[in-house]
Amino acid sequence: MTFVRVCGLGELEEDTPKRVELDGTPVSIVQTEGEVFAIHDICSHANVSLAEGEVDDCHIECWLHGSRFDLRSGKPDALPATRPVPVYPVKIDGDDVLVSLTQES
């Protein structure tokens, strides 16, 4: 599994998604509840950026229609989305946040 540096820990604000692109793949990086998560940045329902939404209780909410996705699994827990979005493995190396595009789910 190959990990790529996407940002520094100091660049992340708690509960504020940061959009990055890895090899043309849009990814939201989210620091919340003491962990850092990487989730595909495009909502499976409306094809809009999840990084523009809000984070609460380890979930990210799509700003357009209110679909919520679990940052750990990518599974939706609020309609209208019914399909999950990919989540990606994250490693922290010192101050570096590293992500692999190999999907965890």
Side-chain angles (χ1 to χ4, degrees):
M1 193 177 307
T2 303
F3 284 84
V4 177
R5 183 186 187 279
V6 294
C7 64
L9 276 174
E11 297 174 52
L12 299 176
E13 294 181 39
E14 185 77 10
D15 297 331
T16 302
K18 177 180 180 67
R19 181 186 165 105
V20 299
E21 285 219 9
L22 291 176
D23 295 328
T25 300
V27 179
S28 287
I29 309 298
V30 180
Q31 182 175 357
T32 187
E33 299 183 12
E35 294 185 66
V36 177
F37 300 93
I39 189 167
H40 192 73
D41 187 51
I42 304 300
C43 177
S44 62
H45 169 258
N47 198 32
V48 297
S49 174
L50 292 175
E52 296 176 30
E54 294 185 12
V55 174
D56 183 48
D57 193 29
C58 231
H59 289 78
I60 190 165
E61 183 176 314
C62 179
W63 62 270
L64 187 59
H65 296 117
S67 295
R68 285 173 32 105
F69 299 89
D70 189 308
L71 290 168
R72 297 164 291 227
S73 68
K75 294 179 181 174
D77 71 353
L79 295 173
T82 58
R83 290 178 292 123
V85 293
V87 295
Y88 306 104
V90 174
K91 284 194 328 188
I92 306 300
D93 184 15
D95 185 53
D96 293 331
V97 177
L98 308 167
V99 173
S100 174
L101 286 182
T102 302
Q103 295 179 21
E104 288 187 340
S105 64

